[in-house]
Amino acid sequence: MDRMSLIGGLEEIVGSSNVLHSPMDMTLYGYDASLGRGMPDVVVLPGSTEEVAGVVALAHGEKVPIIARGSGTNLSGGTIPIRGGIVVHLSRMNRILEIDIPNRTVTVEPGVITLDLQGRLLKEGFTYAPDPASQKVSTIGGNVGENSGGPHCLKYGVTTNHVLGAEVVLHDGSIVCLGGKSQDNPGYDLLGLLVGSEGTLGVVTKMILRILRTPEAVKTMLAIYDSIEDAGNTVSAIIAEGIIPATLEMMDHVVMRAVEESVHAGYPLDAAAVLIIELDGLRDGMERQAGRIREICKANGVREIQVARDDKERARLWAGRKGAFGAMSRLRPSYMVCDGTVPRTRLPEVLNKVLEVGEKYDLVIGNVFHAGDGNLHPLILFDERDEKELAAANAASSEILKICAEAGGTISGEHGIGIEKLEEMSLIFSEADFDAMRRVKHALDPRDILNPGKVIPAAPS
Amino acid sequence: MDRMSLIGGLEEIVGSSNVLHSPMDMTLYGYDASLGRGMPDVVVLPGSTEEVAGVVALAHGEKVPIIARGSGTNLSGGTIPIRGGIVVHLSRMNRILEIDIPNRTVTVEPGVITLDLQGRLLKEGFTYAPDPASQKVSTIGGNVGENSGGPHCLKYGVTTNHVLGAEVVLHDGSIVCLGGKSQDNPGYDLLGLLVGSEGTLGVVTKMILRILRTPEAVKTMLAIYDSIEDAGNTVSAIIAEGIIPATLEMMDHVVMRAVEESVHAGYPLDAAAVLIIELDGLRDGMERQAGRIREICKANGVREIQVARDDKERARLWAGRKGAFGAMSRLRPSYMVCDGTVPRTRLPEVLNKVLEVGEKYDLVIGNVFHAGDGNLHPLILFDERDEKELAAANAASSEILKICAEAGGTISGEHGIGIEKLEEMSLIFSEADFDAMRRVKHALDPRDILNPGKVIPAAPS
């Protein structure tokens, strides 16, 4: 089928106003929040599950790639149409279909913006826990595709722990319902398999999510350190004590300085690192728990601890963390975020090695990350127009992921594999692992039309 | 390969003392805690991952079924060798390999008894949350195979929420490592797929589990009701309020009477139902939360609330719940446990329908279950030697599962599908759903040797 026939076929399914095919649109949908670039043949904006099923069935018949996407805020090239094909933008399917308080679930379409859902639930006194940094623009469908994390995932778990059910369009356009409102479901956990599969196994058209009561009380603290090692040791010590804060985030002096210039969050410019420690839960006992954390910080050489006295101060402390990526991006034309995870006891050692990598390649690297999870986010600053610097940044990123893998960690905490980390997958997976993954992919997408070329490296020829 | 050659081949791999093949042994390994019966060709007791891999590779070469098992306490026939083959009993692989407090994980072999692990962790001030009723004899490997639940899973989640990594022997004897110590891992979540797959996708030889700090304080209450409806409404009201107790269990008068005759837990004999409500967490605020629960109970017509004043009283209240299945089994020669789940708001209505089913078939049905999860366990009493009664019990069980499915629930909360619920799978799954599951099964076990005939109904011919 030639491109014009494909466009015609799609227009019949979703209506011509929901099919984009101008050169400008193709360019716009050729990239996401990563360095990669591609070019789709056509973009469709379906309005219903049936329309999605129709589009996928057409693609299946014609063996055309299907790239489902939300806002494209993944940081690994997961939504780049590297082999052309049909980009299915799910932005029109953005309804919250049901809020079921007694069963503590919400049913949503994939195009719902994460923060919009959280805002809506807040009115009922409830919350959806996963809070990726991109929550202002990211969609729930995208979060499910990437199995997104976020600061609060230390206590509450990542996206997969909050997805109870989904309606999914499979490779041939058939529609299945996985899971449901129960905690456990019979049969194979295809839902768990689907979450984080980056659109390579199916297109999610509806999701049932677990919601939680908004915590009664919140306490946010900023612990300031003169050494990054002390900050790292504090993180291990808090968790070893058995305390699970809602968040336990770390920022080093490079990031703090950038943040202060752009957000003015009140971070100390002469410190080596800060921790943002937030407790939530019942108001009773919070003071005592905060006291215990203060003791642990002191035992690990903290310089000073600030406690947010009200919501305004709390928002200010968080504004810095949430604006960190943006603030860093102002320093140089380009940045690259590594996303590696290490056992949290190895944090101080690994952070030192990351510093050494920066020195070796003469690149500025800032660290702002989910320390409680051991999930590092070294931000490498560079200028992508300078080929030598781009090469150095890529080499540094790869080296950092290798350091994480060698420390018993892994190469992605939450940003996905997409295309940017395909090569590094072999740092942590064996050929037997890949073989099992490829078998599953082939079983559920025998024609390899669902976001082809992502997540799993190609089989050795 | 004939049976004697198979036995010889296995003896070479695991040593002759670890291969059982006498008629008596074959009979003993022919059943589990369900009504089904089968007969293996041979039983092996491997001592290492390499031995398991050797056994599976042999079975793969010879196309002989492999049935991995722990203590066989699943309640759905999951470990019955319905097509003969090799039963792999993992009881010798029962070591706790590592307790890693700073990373809050424990690494164990599959044969570790659930309660033994919990006892060992308690010494460190930590716990492994999933607590199936069979925890005194069930193994962690079996829990993973069945994705076991338990009273504490209301607050803490079922087994799959606590498995971070696993070493798995695949269909051809290759060994893969899935997941790890991180919260999230790149690539497809094959680990999630494996948990609850009842040994049909691989044999788990090692597991990394999440451990939690033992709660600082626990409060256990017994709420006594004159109507099962009021008890059911209380459950919904507590959850809707946003309170998640550690457990929220219900027992009806049939079960209470049986328990009192056998365990003497002090349950009132004239009440219609009781709830066992347990709170855990920080000691601060527990009194206030208990007070709020008391108010909700009162608003829903509770007759009386007893609070355990010490560990002894607490143990007494729990002894009744934990001994309920045993107590019921004393009343008649046989019992069958249904395991359906419904949205908790539908509990009162569904419980009434279960009563009607008992009347219709003239069978005693007792209810003891995880009410907070909406996970029913109607216990049907009968005499399996009486063919008419056995048929009535089977019909009643099937009807109850249908009621659950119609109420928007599902046909298994935690006991698995095995062989006993294969037929009922079509109450909740479509042919498209089955097709996706069969594709995955075929991808990971193309010769259909891993616990064949379980979980997924055979494809329509």
Side-chain angles (χ1 to χ4, degrees), chain A residues 205-454:
Chain A
T205 48
K206 216 175 270 178
M207 286 152 289
I208 303 174
L209 308 171
R210 191 159 72 98
I211 59 174
L212 303 170
R213 189 77 171 175
T214 315
E216 186 183 75
V218 176
K219 188 180 278 287
T220 309
M221 294 176 273
L222 185 75
I224 302 163
Y225 291 84
D226 290 324
S227 114
I228 207 161
E229 218 134 2
D230 287 342
N233 288 332
T234 301
V235 171
S236 300
I238 289 173
I239 304 291
E241 172 81 9
I243 301 173
I244 309 292
T247 73
L248 189 40
E249 301 280 306
M250 200 194 290
M251 238 179 280
D252 71 8
H253 70 284
V254 176
V255 176
M256 278 191 281
R257 211 160 299 160
V259 164
E260 275 312 292
E261 280 172 25
S262 113
V263 184
H264 313 295
Y267 296 157
L269 289 181
D270 60 335
V274 294
L275 295 176
I276 302 182
I277 309 169
E278 187 165 282
L279 294 169
D280 70 9
L282 294 180
R283 59 174 188 267
D284 331 64
M286 190 148 287
E287 212 32 74
R288 182 165 64 91
Q289 250 197 329
R292 188 69 200 102
I293 284 177
R294 232 176 268 129
E295 282 167 29
I296 295 171
C297 291
K298 279 180 193 160
N300 284 282
V302 75
R303 180 211 291 182
E304 184 195 336
I305 301 172
Q306 299 176 3
V307 179
R309 278 162 301 187
D310 52 34
D311 281 353
K312 207 178 139 195
E313 281 195 15
R314 185 177 162 243
R316 186 173 54 84
L317 288 183
W318 274 113
R321 168 64 182 92
K322 292 194 174 156
F325 281 29
M328 286 290 283
S329 73
R330 289 171 47 164
L331 301 185
R332 291 300 307 277
S334 324
Y335 73 91
M336 193 183 278
V337 196
C338 299
D339 172 38
T341 296
V342 296
R344 55 179 82 81
T345 40
R346 307 289 294 271
L347 274 178
E349 164 201 343
V350 169
L351 286 169
N352 277 330
K353 286 189 180 161
V354 169
L355 285 181
E356 285 165 21
V357 170
E359 280 161 22
K360 175 174 164 187
Y361 290 98
D362 195 21
L363 292 166
V364 175
I365 303 182
N367 286 289
V368 44
F369 62 103
H370 311 315
D373 292 317
N375 184 191
L376 296 175
H377 286 339
L379 273 158
I380 305 172
L381 301 184
F382 63 104
D383 184 343
E384 69 178 296
R385 295 163 303 187
D386 177 337
E387 269 183 41
K388 233 177 99 190
E389 227 175 88
L390 174 62
N394 275 320
S397 165
S398 198
E399 207 163 312
I400 289 170
L401 294 178
K402 208 172 157 204
I403 291 166
C404 291
E406 282 169 358
T410 188
I411 60 161
S412 175
E414 53 178 8
H415 299 173
I417 298 304
I419 49 174
E420 294 202 339
K421 291 188 189 173
L422 280 176
E423 210 173 296
E424 284 81 10
M425 285 287 272
S426 56
L427 292 175
I428 48 166
F429 290 114
S430 68
E431 260 311 306
D433 296 332
F434 288 137
D435 179 62
M437 290 186 211
R438 285 186 200 116
R439 282 170 178 271
V440 169
K441 164 72 173 172
H442 186 73
L444 295 177
D445 181 22
R447 295 188 179 181
D448 197 23
I449 58 163
L450 296 169
N451 208 4
K454 310 289 172 69

Side-chain angles (χ1 to χ4, degrees), chain B residues 53-110:
Chain B
V55 169
V56 174
L58 177 64
H60 179 253
E62 301 296 324
K63 291 193 189 176
V64 175
I66 281 279
I67 302 97
R69 65 171 279 163
S71 304
T73 52
N74 77 86
L75 292 158
S76 50
T79 46
I80 294 172
I82 49 173
R83 296 185 195 166
I86 306 165
V87 164
V88 180
H89 191 188
L90 295 155
S91 55
R92 286 179 61 221
M93 292 176 67
N94 64 350
R95 289 176 302 166
I96 297 173
L97 300 171
E98 185 198 35
I99 298 179
D100 179 352
I101 300 294
N103 290 308
R104 296 201 308 134
T105 61
V106 61
T107 305
V108 301
E109 290 185 326

